[in-house]
Amino acid sequence: MFENLSERLSGVFDRLTKQGALSEEDVKTALREVRVALLEADVSLPVARDFVRAVQDKATGQAVTKSVTPGQQVVKIVHDALVDVLRGAEDPGKLKIDNPPAPILMVGLQGGGKTTTTAKLAKRLKEREGKKVLMASLDVYRPAAMDQLAVLGAQIGVDTLPIVPGQKPVDIAKRARQQAMMGGYDVYMLDTAGRLHIDQVLMQEVEDVRNVVTPRETLLVVDGLTGQVAVEVAEEFDAKIGISGVVLTRMDGDGRGGAALSMRAVTGKPIRFVGLGEKMDALETFEPERIAGRILGM
Amino acid sequence: VVRRTLDDDMLEQLEELLIAADMGVDTALRVTANMAEGRMGRKLSTQEIKELLAQEITRIMEPVARPMPLYPKRPQVVLVVGVNGSGKTTTIGKLASQFKAAGKKVVIAAGDTFRAAAVEQLQVWGDRAGVPVLTAPEGSDPASLAFDAMTRAQADGADLLLIDTAGRLQNRADLMEELAKIVRVIRKKDDTAPHNTLLVLDATTGQNAISQVETFQKLADVSGLVMTKLDGTAKGGILVSLADRFGLPIHAIGVGEQIDDLAPFDPQDFAAALTGLDTQA
Ligand SMILES: Nc1nc2c(ncn2[C@@H]2O[C@H](COP(=O)(O)OP(=O)(O)OP(=O)(O)O)[C@@H](O)[C@H]2O)c(=O)[nH]1
Ligand SMILES: Nc1nc2c(ncn2[C@@H]2O[C@H](COP(=O)(O)OP(=O)(O)OP(=O)(O)O)[C@@H](O)[C@H]2O)c(=O)[nH]1
Ligand SMILES: [K+]
Ligand SMILES: [Mg+2]
Ligand SMILES: [Mg+2]
């Protein structure tokens, strides 16, 4: 249904003569196709616009060697630029969870995959880094949300904070901190209820939680299939709560994952992990090259 | 009132407005071109332009705005499918409550035997709606639960049997086959069932919704759509592409997490929100 960028560009460049360098007109023509490819991959419009402008400057005047076609040359320039944005200027290093007990706050829209990712990450920290992890659900709204986390905890052998019905999220967070300190945990993870970025009451609630525990990491969990709203969601969560990283879920689907570029571009925060399934092992570190290829349909 | 000439620049701005609402590039181009036909060069106010655009969208959406049809079948079997986290279980709770209020005898089957606490989640919704929920142990075969649920709903003389299913991404052939098996088993009890297969789509989803509809329709015979999470800022513009391409009816929209937050799909309201007419003074 969607053509990939190479196909799109091969059509465009058939009409162009091979020259020594990419002219401004060549690049303009090609970048119109790039823009469409990005939008079809769900890159948010303002991000696609900025990206194309930056590539325009970079590509104009670049030499086309004999071994490649102008189309291939543009694809390469675009691909490399995508990888640059996705990777970011500096290496984010490891999660900042050294001082025990280190709180990790998980936030995001409804149904994005927070609870599942909380458990996956807990399992990873336990198995790969030998951390003693406590998980607590602050979701007092969604039916059986707390049970969900408790079941996952039992599956992966990670402790969950005992459920006390009727407690408020901030109080649960305090109890989690206390238990983490007394129980000698290295990390405590706070899974929160899904919330809309425009829901002032619920955004305030998670701000209050943040103020109480001062998380070492605040991870925004987003569905990799997210469309144009990605920019707004990332900006709002970052502005109100201050996120330190992003987890992109459902990348086992056939979505193109343009939200990754949007999130990275507007927040400047690293994409830490991608979710690749429902199983507890289906969490991998983020590879910019892979996502860049997907966005371009390659 | 400032009037501007409807020219190429203006058209491009309108296209972008629609693209930013997840309509997709092709459909956005088509919708704006149709709207502009015979009007190029005219001077129009922003309000007028948005109204014209909204009219065009309404025209496309009106044929698909249809409530879930009810049939003289007992039980009428409604299978609810979709990708992970789209809102299937919540929508079942809302539907159960609406049908119950309309005097129907409703039974729910908790066909998500996979996800942690999926059954408990649905049981809470059943309690809220005042509707019984049939369950099976975690990890058991959802098809055999569906079969048992059919038996029970028939014996009880239920009007409606709502079957929840586990979330699955459409590119997972094994999980799609599991869905096909549920359908085959249901048909052993009633070869006209399921009478409705609802695909639940999340409004925050972008262009992947097209692939979702395509595959779920092919493998699970989708008969109608529900779009959830329209209470957020996502406009669900992909529905316009879907209407154009598949023509499947849109039965309802989810506008919140409470039991009453399910509304009929209204093409005019939808078009107004999409074009920003609703927020205009
Ligand atoms: N295929 C796939 N499914 C996932 C992934 N991550 C989570 N899920 C599924 O997505 C659905 C929602 O996940 P949850 O963890 O409940 O999402 P949540 O953000 O906690 O949801 P709320 O608490 O309701 O806001 C479940 O069916 C998960 O199994 C992933 O990477 N791939
Ligand atoms: N804001 C909003 N949230 C919704 C809506 N519908 C569902 N949700 C929320 O979305 C999340 C996921 O909903 P579920 O009903 O569990 O989704 P599901 O499709 O059954 O998920 P899986 O079974 O895990 O695949 C929950 O937090 C719901 O409260 C809606 O219309 N608006
Ligand atoms: K909305
Ligand atoms: Mg959750
Ligand atoms: Mg469910």
Side-chain angles (χ1 to χ4, degrees), chain A residues 1 35 42 49 110 142-144 148 196-197 225-229 232 250 252-254 278, chain B residues 16 19-20 22 84 114-116 121 169-171 204 206-208 210-211 229 231 233 257:
Chain A
M1 170 182 29
R35 177 177 167 279
D42 289 324
R49 207 184 276 142
Q110 288 93 345
R142 170 172 166 172
Q148 185 186 355
L196 296 171
H197 53 290
L225 307 176
T226 303
Q228 292 289 319
V229 81
E232 206 181 324
R250 285 181 212 130
D252 47 325
D254 58 7
E278 298 185 75
Chain B
E16 298 205 330
I19 289 168
D22 287 313
N84 310 81
F114 175 77
R115 213 209 61 220
Q121 182 188 4
L169 293 175
Q170 72 279 10
N171 61 333
T204 61
Q207 302 304 302
N208 190 251
I210 295 173
S211 155
K229 309 184 194 176
D231 46 323
T233 55
E257 299 184 78

mmCIF file of all heavy atoms in Angstrom, chain A residues 1 35 42 49 110 142-144 148 196-197 225-229 232 250 252-254 278, chain B residues 16 19-20 22 84 114-116 121 169-171 204 206-208 210-211 229 231 233 257:
data_model
loop_
_atom_site.group_PDB
_atom_site.id
_atom_site.type_symbol
_atom_site.label_atom_id
_atom_site.label_comp_id
_atom_site.label_asym_id
_atom_site.label_seq_id
_atom_site.Cartn_x
_atom_site.Cartn_y
_atom_site.Cartn_z
ATOM 1 N N MET A 1 0.834 -1.192 0.000
ATOM 2 C CA MET A 1 0.000 0.000 0.000
ATOM 3 C C MET A 1 0.880 1.258 0.000
ATOM 4 O O MET A 1 0.740 2.117 -0.852
ATOM 5 C CB MET A 1 -0.872 -0.044 1.232
ATOM 6 C CG MET A 1 -1.617 1.224 1.501
ATOM 7 S SD MET A 1 -2.556 1.081 3.015
ATOM 8 C CE MET A 1 -1.569 -0.078 3.973
ATOM 9 N N ARG A 35 9.080 13.975 2.217
ATOM 10 C CA ARG A 35 8.082 14.507 3.138
ATOM 11 C C ARG A 35 6.869 13.578 3.187
ATOM 12 O O ARG A 35 6.375 13.236 4.268
ATOM 13 C CB ARG A 35 7.666 15.902 2.672
ATOM 14 C CG ARG A 35 6.592 16.546 3.500
ATOM 15 C CD ARG A 35 6.308 17.959 2.993
ATOM 16 N NE ARG A 35 5.095 18.516 3.546
ATOM 17 C CZ ARG A 35 3.874 18.242 3.080
ATOM 18 N NH1 ARG A 35 3.713 17.412 2.071
ATOM 19 N NH2 ARG A 35 2.825 18.791 3.653
ATOM 20 N N ASP A 42 3.889 8.321 9.820
ATOM 21 C CA ASP A 42 3.366 8.938 11.047
ATOM 22 C C ASP A 42 4.331 9.877 11.756
ATOM 23 O O ASP A 42 4.171 10.154 12.944
ATOM 24 C CB ASP A 42 2.879 7.879 12.051
ATOM 25 C CG ASP A 42 1.602 7.190 11.596
ATOM 26 O OD1 ASP A 42 0.759 7.879 10.986
ATOM 27 O OD2 ASP A 42 1.456 5.989 11.856
ATOM 28 N N ARG A 49 8.490 18.631 8.663
ATOM 29 C CA ARG A 49 8.814 19.890 7.998
ATOM 30 C C ARG A 49 10.242 20.327 8.340
ATOM 31 O O ARG A 49 11.050 20.610 7.462
ATOM 32 C CB ARG A 49 7.807 20.941 8.468
ATOM 33 C CG ARG A 49 7.571 22.042 7.485
ATOM 34 C CD ARG A 49 6.649 23.070 8.101
ATOM 35 N NE ARG A 49 5.240 22.742 7.980
ATOM 36 C CZ ARG A 49 4.314 22.973 8.918
ATOM 37 N NH1 ARG A 49 4.653 23.477 10.085
ATOM 38 N NH2 ARG A 49 3.051 22.687 8.707
ATOM 39 N N GLN A 110 -3.444 6.260 28.014
ATOM 40 C CA GLN A 110 -4.133 5.001 28.306
ATOM 41 C C GLN A 110 -3.763 3.909 27.302
ATOM 42 O O GLN A 110 -3.768 4.142 26.093
ATOM 43 C CB GLN A 110 -5.652 5.193 28.234
ATOM 44 C CG GLN A 110 -6.229 5.985 29.377
ATOM 45 C CD GLN A 110 -6.342 7.457 29.080
ATOM 46 O OE1 GLN A 110 -5.749 7.962 28.138
ATOM 47 N NE2 GLN A 110 -7.108 8.160 29.886
ATOM 48 N N ARG A 142 -8.195 2.197 36.691
ATOM 49 C CA ARG A 142 -8.532 1.124 35.762
ATOM 50 C C ARG A 142 -8.866 -0.151 36.519
ATOM 51 O O ARG A 142 -8.112 -0.573 37.403
ATOM 52 C CB ARG A 142 -7.354 0.867 34.832
ATOM 53 C CG ARG A 142 -7.527 -0.383 34.007
ATOM 54 C CD ARG A 142 -6.472 -0.523 32.958
ATOM 55 N NE ARG A 142 -6.491 -1.880 32.421
ATOM 56 C CZ ARG A 142 -5.776 -2.271 31.383
ATOM 57 N NH1 ARG A 142 -4.975 -1.403 30.778
ATOM 58 N NH2 ARG A 142 -5.853 -3.489 30.956
ATOM 59 N N PRO A 143 -9.983 -0.790 36.169
ATOM 60 C CA PRO A 143 -10.346 -2.022 36.856
ATOM 61 C C PRO A 143 -9.224 -3.063 36.773
ATOM 62 O O PRO A 143 -8.688 -3.324 35.705
ATOM 63 C CB PRO A 143 -11.579 -2.518 36.085
ATOM 64 C CG PRO A 143 -12.151 -1.310 35.437
ATOM 65 C CD PRO A 143 -10.997 -0.397 35.171
ATOM 66 N N ALA A 144 -8.883 -3.613 37.937
ATOM 67 C CA ALA A 144 -7.905 -4.704 38.050
ATOM 68 C C ALA A 144 -6.495 -4.325 37.602
ATOM 69 O O ALA A 144 -5.669 -5.201 37.339
ATOM 70 C CB ALA A 144 -8.382 -5.946 37.298
ATOM 71 N N GLN A 148 -3.213 -6.741 37.738
ATOM 72 C CA GLN A 148 -2.414 -6.997 36.531
ATOM 73 C C GLN A 148 -0.930 -6.946 36.869
ATOM 74 O O GLN A 148 -0.174 -7.855 36.537
ATOM 75 C CB GLN A 148 -2.763 -5.951 35.459
ATOM 76 C CG GLN A 148 -2.085 -6.182 34.114
ATOM 77 C CD GLN A 148 -2.365 -5.023 33.143
ATOM 78 O OE1 GLN A 148 -3.132 -4.117 33.449
ATOM 79 N NE2 GLN A 148 -1.727 -5.056 31.987
ATOM 80 N N LEU A 196 -4.699 11.268 29.830
ATOM 81 C CA LEU A 196 -4.561 12.155 28.682
ATOM 82 C C LEU A 196 -3.689 13.329 29.073
ATOM 83 O O LEU A 196 -3.802 13.844 30.196
ATOM 84 C CB LEU A 196 -5.931 12.670 28.236
ATOM 85 C CG LEU A 196 -6.914 11.622 27.719
ATOM 86 C CD1 LEU A 196 -8.293 12.251 27.515
ATOM 87 C CD2 LEU A 196 -6.414 11.011 26.424
ATOM 88 N N HIS A 197 -2.844 13.770 28.154
ATOM 89 C CA HIS A 197 -1.957 14.902 28.423
ATOM 90 C C HIS A 197 -2.727 16.185 28.688
ATOM 91 O O HIS A 197 -2.173 17.145 29.202
ATOM 92 C CB HIS A 197 -0.997 15.092 27.249
ATOM 93 C CG HIS A 197 -1.701 15.199 25.933
ATOM 94 N ND1 HIS A 197 -2.318 14.123 25.357
ATOM 95 C CD2 HIS A 197 -1.907 16.250 25.108
ATOM 96 C CE1 HIS A 197 -2.873 14.515 24.209
ATOM 97 N NE2 HIS A 197 -2.644 15.795 24.041
ATOM 98 N N LEU A 225 2.620 2.794 17.405
ATOM 99 C CA LEU A 225 1.688 3.012 16.294
ATOM 100 C C LEU A 225 1.067 4.403 16.340
ATOM 101 O O LEU A 225 0.193 4.734 15.543
ATOM 102 C CB LEU A 225 0.566 1.960 16.335
ATOM 103 C CG LEU A 225 1.009 0.496 16.402
ATOM 104 C CD1 LEU A 225 -0.193 -0.434 16.540
ATOM 105 C CD2 LEU A 225 1.829 0.124 15.167
ATOM 106 N N THR A 226 1.521 5.219 17.302
ATOM 107 C CA THR A 226 0.937 6.556 17.483
ATOM 108 C C THR A 226 1.085 7.416 16.238
ATOM 109 O O THR A 226 2.115 7.401 15.573
ATOM 110 C CB THR A 226 1.627 7.270 18.668
ATOM 111 O OG1 THR A 226 1.492 6.463 19.828
ATOM 112 C CG2 THR A 226 0.992 8.639 18.936
ATOM 113 N N GLY A 227 0.068 8.181 15.964
ATOM 114 C CA GLY A 227 0.076 9.059 14.804
ATOM 115 C C GLY A 227 0.531 10.471 15.129
ATOM 116 O O GLY A 227 1.451 10.682 15.922
ATOM 117 N N GLN A 228 -0.145 11.430 14.534
ATOM 118 C CA GLN A 228 0.281 12.815 14.582
ATOM 119 C C GLN A 228 0.296 13.419 15.987
ATOM 120 O O GLN A 228 0.970 14.404 16.241
ATOM 121 C CB GLN A 228 -0.634 13.659 13.675
ATOM 122 C CG GLN A 228 -0.471 13.337 12.193
ATOM 123 C CD GLN A 228 0.849 13.828 11.646
ATOM 124 O OE1 GLN A 228 1.293 14.923 11.984
ATOM 125 N NE2 GLN A 228 1.492 13.026 10.818
ATOM 126 N N VAL A 229 -0.461 12.837 16.902
ATOM 127 C CA VAL A 229 -0.579 13.409 18.239
ATOM 128 C C VAL A 229 0.714 13.221 19.062
ATOM 129 O O VAL A 229 0.871 13.798 20.137
ATOM 130 C CB VAL A 229 -1.815 12.800 18.960
ATOM 131 C CG1 VAL A 229 -1.494 11.435 19.545
ATOM 132 C CG2 VAL A 229 -2.374 13.747 20.001
ATOM 133 N N GLU A 232 2.506 16.372 20.496
ATOM 134 C CA GLU A 232 1.774 17.040 21.561
ATOM 135 C C GLU A 232 1.877 16.263 22.873
ATOM 136 O O GLU A 232 2.078 16.843 23.941
ATOM 137 C CB GLU A 232 0.326 17.096 21.100
ATOM 138 C CG GLU A 232 -0.485 18.196 21.673
ATOM 139 C CD GLU A 232 -1.903 18.093 21.136
ATOM 140 O OE1 GLU A 232 -2.085 17.708 19.956
ATOM 141 O OE2 GLU A 232 -2.809 18.382 21.927
ATOM 142 N N ARG A 250 4.975 -1.918 21.094
ATOM 143 C CA ARG A 250 4.300 -2.467 19.903
ATOM 144 C C ARG A 250 5.093 -2.324 18.630
ATOM 145 O O ARG A 250 4.529 -2.217 17.550
ATOM 146 C CB ARG A 250 2.922 -1.837 19.721
ATOM 147 C CG ARG A 250 1.988 -2.423 20.718
ATOM 148 C CD ARG A 250 0.594 -1.939 20.657
ATOM 149 N NE ARG A 250 0.151 -2.001 22.029
ATOM 150 C CZ ARG A 250 -0.436 -1.043 22.691
ATOM 151 N NH1 ARG A 250 -0.775 0.061 22.090
ATOM 152 N NH2 ARG A 250 -0.722 -1.201 23.948
ATOM 153 N N ASP A 252 6.653 -4.623 17.502
ATOM 154 C CA ASP A 252 6.532 -5.918 16.824
ATOM 155 C C ASP A 252 5.439 -5.868 15.763
ATOM 156 O O ASP A 252 5.265 -6.803 14.994
ATOM 157 C CB ASP A 252 6.251 -7.043 17.837
ATOM 158 C CG ASP A 252 5.158 -6.696 18.848
ATOM 159 O OD1 ASP A 252 5.052 -5.516 19.259
ATOM 160 O OD2 ASP A 252 4.397 -7.603 19.228
ATOM 161 N N GLY A 253 4.700 -4.779 15.722
ATOM 162 C CA GLY A 253 3.674 -4.632 14.692
ATOM 163 C C GLY A 253 4.294 -4.199 13.375
ATOM 164 O O GLY A 253 5.514 -4.119 13.248
ATOM 165 N N ASP A 254 3.424 -3.895 12.398
ATOM 166 C CA ASP A 254 3.969 -3.471 11.114
ATOM 167 C C ASP A 254 3.861 -1.959 10.943
ATOM 168 O O ASP A 254 3.879 -1.452 9.824
ATOM 169 C CB ASP A 254 3.328 -4.233 9.958
ATOM 170 C CG ASP A 254 1.812 -4.074 9.921
ATOM 171 O OD1 ASP A 254 1.278 -3.268 10.707
ATOM 172 O OD2 ASP A 254 1.163 -4.751 9.112
ATOM 173 N N GLU A 278 4.267 -9.086 23.775
ATOM 174 C CA GLU A 278 3.582 -9.096 25.064
ATOM 175 C C GLU A 278 4.332 -9.886 26.118
ATOM 176 O O GLU A 278 4.050 -9.774 27.304
ATOM 177 C CB GLU A 278 2.187 -9.679 24.884
ATOM 178 C CG GLU A 278 1.316 -8.868 23.955
ATOM 179 C CD GLU A 278 -0.084 -9.418 23.898
ATOM 180 O OE1 GLU A 278 -0.825 -9.212 24.866
ATOM 181 O OE2 GLU A 278 -0.428 -10.073 22.901
ATOM 182 N N GLU B 16 -2.535 20.314 5.110
ATOM 183 C CA GLU B 16 -1.734 20.075 6.313
ATOM 184 C C GLU B 16 -2.598 19.996 7.565
ATOM 185 O O GLU B 16 -2.324 19.221 8.466
ATOM 186 C CB GLU B 16 -0.653 21.151 6.441
ATOM 187 C CG GLU B 16 0.306 21.095 5.265
ATOM 188 C CD GLU B 16 1.680 21.667 5.561
ATOM 189 O OE1 GLU B 16 1.760 22.585 6.407
ATOM 190 O OE2 GLU B 16 2.660 21.191 4.960
ATOM 191 N N ILE B 19 -3.841 16.505 7.421
ATOM 192 C CA ILE B 19 -2.768 15.543 7.684
ATOM 193 C C ILE B 19 -2.452 15.511 9.182
ATOM 194 O O ILE B 19 -2.265 14.449 9.767
ATOM 195 C CB ILE B 19 -1.505 15.894 6.864
ATOM 196 C CG1 ILE B 19 -1.753 15.609 5.378
ATOM 197 C CG2 ILE B 19 -0.284 15.109 7.359
ATOM 198 C CD1 ILE B 19 -0.695 16.177 4.449
ATOM 199 N N ALA B 20 -2.441 16.688 9.790
ATOM 200 C CA ALA B 20 -2.152 16.767 11.224
ATOM 201 C C ALA B 20 -3.244 16.105 12.057
ATOM 202 O O ALA B 20 -3.065 15.835 13.234
ATOM 203 C CB ALA B 20 -1.988 18.228 11.642
ATOM 204 N N ASP B 22 -4.341 13.177 11.188
ATOM 205 C CA ASP B 22 -4.144 11.764 10.852
ATOM 206 C C ASP B 22 -4.956 11.275 9.655
ATOM 207 O O ASP B 22 -5.226 10.082 9.526
ATOM 208 C CB ASP B 22 -4.445 10.843 12.056
ATOM 209 C CG ASP B 22 -3.364 10.916 13.111
ATOM 210 O OD1 ASP B 22 -2.179 10.847 12.749
ATOM 211 O OD2 ASP B 22 -3.704 11.053 14.301
ATOM 212 N N ASN B 84 -3.646 -4.604 20.683
ATOM 213 C CA ASN B 84 -3.479 -4.475 22.130
ATOM 214 C C ASN B 84 -3.778 -3.070 22.622
ATOM 215 O O ASN B 84 -3.312 -2.092 22.028
ATOM 216 C CB ASN B 84 -2.038 -4.815 22.519
ATOM 217 C CG ASN B 84 -1.577 -6.117 21.924
ATOM 218 O OD1 ASN B 84 -1.190 -6.165 20.767
ATOM 219 N ND2 ASN B 84 -1.646 -7.178 22.694
ATOM 220 N N PHE B 114 -5.478 -14.657 27.977
ATOM 221 C CA PHE B 114 -4.019 -14.525 27.925
ATOM 222 C C PHE B 114 -3.462 -13.458 28.866
ATOM 223 O O PHE B 114 -2.607 -13.733 29.700
ATOM 224 C CB PHE B 114 -3.589 -14.214 26.477
ATOM 225 C CG PHE B 114 -2.125 -13.936 26.341
ATOM 226 C CD1 PHE B 114 -1.200 -14.974 26.352
ATOM 227 C CD2 PHE B 114 -1.665 -12.629 26.229
ATOM 228 C CE1 PHE B 114 0.154 -14.714 26.252
ATOM 229 C CE2 PHE B 114 -0.307 -12.358 26.133
ATOM 230 C CZ PHE B 114 0.605 -13.396 26.142
ATOM 231 N N ARG B 115 -3.961 -12.210 28.728
ATOM 232 C CA ARG B 115 -3.319 -11.111 29.449
ATOM 233 C C ARG B 115 -3.575 -11.159 30.946
ATOM 234 O O ARG B 115 -4.657 -11.537 31.400
ATOM 235 C CB ARG B 115 -3.800 -9.767 28.882
ATOM 236 C CG ARG B 115 -2.718 -8.701 28.933
ATOM 237 C CD ARG B 115 -3.296 -7.303 29.062
ATOM 238 N NE ARG B 115 -4.055 -7.186 30.281
ATOM 239 C CZ ARG B 115 -5.201 -6.542 30.367
ATOM 240 N NH1 ARG B 115 -5.709 -5.958 29.320
ATOM 241 N NH2 ARG B 115 -5.831 -6.473 31.517
ATOM 242 N N ALA B 116 -2.566 -10.744 31.690
ATOM 243 C CA ALA B 116 -2.660 -10.737 33.146
ATOM 244 C C ALA B 116 -3.865 -9.917 33.599
ATOM 245 O O ALA B 116 -4.024 -8.763 33.200
ATOM 246 C CB ALA B 116 -1.378 -10.161 33.738
ATOM 247 N N GLN B 121 -10.487 -7.652 35.160
ATOM 248 C CA GLN B 121 -10.869 -6.347 34.616
ATOM 249 C C GLN B 121 -12.294 -6.394 34.056
ATOM 250 O O GLN B 121 -13.129 -5.540 34.360
ATOM 251 C CB GLN B 121 -9.884 -5.958 33.498
ATOM 252 C CG GLN B 121 -10.139 -4.590 32.881
ATOM 253 C CD GLN B 121 -9.265 -4.343 31.644
ATOM 254 O OE1 GLN B 121 -8.521 -5.223 31.205
ATOM 255 N NE2 GLN B 121 -9.351 -3.156 31.089
ATOM 256 N N LEU B 169 -1.754 -7.972 17.452
ATOM 257 C CA LEU B 169 -1.326 -7.173 16.314
ATOM 258 C C LEU B 169 -1.629 -7.964 15.050
ATOM 259 O O LEU B 169 -1.430 -9.178 15.013
ATOM 260 C CB LEU B 169 0.162 -6.850 16.422
ATOM 261 C CG LEU B 169 0.518 -5.922 17.594
ATOM 262 C CD1 LEU B 169 2.027 -5.748 17.689
ATOM 263 C CD2 LEU B 169 -0.159 -4.570 17.461
ATOM 264 N N GLN B 170 -2.087 -7.238 14.043
ATOM 265 C CA GLN B 170 -2.607 -7.906 12.847
ATOM 266 C C GLN B 170 -1.556 -8.639 12.036
ATOM 267 O O GLN B 170 -1.879 -9.472 11.203
ATOM 268 C CB GLN B 170 -3.360 -6.896 11.985
ATOM 269 C CG GLN B 170 -2.493 -5.870 11.245
ATOM 270 C CD GLN B 170 -2.082 -4.701 12.135
ATOM 271 O OE1 GLN B 170 -2.272 -4.727 13.340
ATOM 272 N NE2 GLN B 170 -1.517 -3.661 11.523
ATOM 273 N N ASN B 171 -0.272 -8.343 12.285
ATOM 274 C CA ASN B 171 0.771 -9.037 11.523
ATOM 275 C C ASN B 171 1.180 -10.370 12.167
ATOM 276 O O ASN B 171 2.056 -11.052 11.671
ATOM 277 C CB ASN B 171 2.001 -8.136 11.338
ATOM 278 C CG ASN B 171 2.622 -7.726 12.659
ATOM 279 O OD1 ASN B 171 1.926 -7.673 13.673
ATOM 280 N ND2 ASN B 171 3.900 -7.456 12.676
ATOM 281 N N THR B 204 -5.603 7.502 18.748
ATOM 282 C CA THR B 204 -4.234 8.036 18.689
ATOM 283 C C THR B 204 -3.391 7.297 17.649
ATOM 284 O O THR B 204 -2.284 7.711 17.351
ATOM 285 C CB THR B 204 -3.519 7.932 20.058
ATOM 286 O OG1 THR B 204 -3.437 6.567 20.428
ATOM 287 C CG2 THR B 204 -4.255 8.707 21.121
ATOM 288 N N GLY B 206 -2.016 6.169 14.132
ATOM 289 C CA GLY B 206 -1.880 6.850 12.852
ATOM 290 C C GLY B 206 -2.242 5.944 11.690
ATOM 291 O O GLY B 206 -3.251 5.224 11.727
ATOM 292 N N GLN B 207 -1.389 5.950 10.677
ATOM 293 C CA GLN B 207 -1.698 5.280 9.418
ATOM 294 C C GLN B 207 -1.779 3.758 9.547
ATOM 295 O O GLN B 207 -2.333 3.093 8.677
ATOM 296 C CB GLN B 207 -0.656 5.669 8.365
ATOM 297 C CG GLN B 207 -0.583 7.174 8.120
ATOM 298 C CD GLN B 207 -1.934 7.746 7.716
ATOM 299 O OE1 GLN B 207 -2.513 7.322 6.732
ATOM 300 N NE2 GLN B 207 -2.452 8.691 8.494
ATOM 301 N N ASN B 208 -1.268 3.189 10.621
ATOM 302 C CA ASN B 208 -1.336 1.742 10.775
ATOM 303 C C ASN B 208 -2.779 1.228 10.899
ATOM 304 O O ASN B 208 -3.045 0.051 10.670
ATOM 305 C CB ASN B 208 -0.510 1.280 11.982
ATOM 306 C CG ASN B 208 -0.345 -0.222 12.032
ATOM 307 O OD1 ASN B 208 -0.926 -0.894 12.879
ATOM 308 N ND2 ASN B 208 0.417 -0.778 11.104
ATOM 309 N N ILE B 210 -5.032 1.531 8.897
ATOM 310 C CA ILE B 210 -5.448 0.993 7.595
ATOM 311 C C ILE B 210 -5.081 -0.485 7.506
ATOM 312 O O ILE B 210 -5.900 -1.324 7.122
ATOM 313 C CB ILE B 210 -4.787 1.792 6.448
ATOM 314 C CG1 ILE B 210 -5.325 3.228 6.470
ATOM 315 C CG2 ILE B 210 -5.059 1.136 5.098
ATOM 316 C CD1 ILE B 210 -4.621 4.156 5.502
ATOM 317 N N SER B 211 -3.870 -0.792 7.886
ATOM 318 C CA SER B 211 -3.433 -2.183 7.879
ATOM 319 C C SER B 211 -4.247 -3.012 8.880
ATOM 320 O O SER B 211 -4.570 -4.174 8.636
ATOM 321 C CB SER B 211 -1.938 -2.227 8.187
ATOM 322 O OG SER B 211 -1.563 -3.441 8.745
ATOM 323 N N LYS B 229 -11.062 6.732 22.567
ATOM 324 C CA LYS B 229 -10.102 7.766 22.987
ATOM 325 C C LYS B 229 -10.226 9.055 22.181
ATOM 326 O O LYS B 229 -9.251 9.801 22.034
ATOM 327 C CB LYS B 229 -8.664 7.211 22.963
ATOM 328 C CG LYS B 229 -8.549 5.868 23.735
ATOM 329 C CD LYS B 229 -7.142 5.323 23.838
ATOM 330 C CE LYS B 229 -7.172 3.868 24.294
ATOM 331 N NZ LYS B 229 -5.863 3.226 24.341
ATOM 332 N N ASP B 231 -11.758 11.470 23.284
ATOM 333 C CA ASP B 231 -11.792 12.547 24.279
ATOM 334 C C ASP B 231 -10.418 13.208 24.390
ATOM 335 O O ASP B 231 -10.280 14.250 25.016
ATOM 336 C CB ASP B 231 -12.247 12.018 25.644
ATOM 337 C CG ASP B 231 -11.544 10.720 26.048
ATOM 338 O OD1 ASP B 231 -11.285 9.877 25.160
ATOM 339 O OD2 ASP B 231 -11.254 10.549 27.240
ATOM 340 N N THR B 233 -6.788 14.643 22.268
ATOM 341 C CA THR B 233 -6.661 15.648 21.208
ATOM 342 C C THR B 233 -6.482 15.008 19.835
ATOM 343 O O THR B 233 -6.459 15.716 18.834
ATOM 344 C CB THR B 233 -5.474 16.593 21.485
ATOM 345 O OG1 THR B 233 -4.300 15.817 21.664
ATOM 346 C CG2 THR B 233 -5.733 17.425 22.721
ATOM 347 N N GLU B 257 -13.306 7.096 30.036
ATOM 348 C CA GLU B 257 -13.091 5.803 30.677
ATOM 349 C C GLU B 257 -14.275 5.355 31.539
ATOM 350 O O GLU B 257 -14.223 4.290 32.154
ATOM 351 C CB GLU B 257 -11.820 5.867 31.535
ATOM 352 C CG GLU B 257 -10.585 6.167 30.707
ATOM 353 C CD GLU B 257 -9.318 6.127 31.522
ATOM 354 O OE1 GLU B 257 -8.824 5.029 31.808
ATOM 355 O OE2 GLU B 257 -8.822 7.215 31.900
#
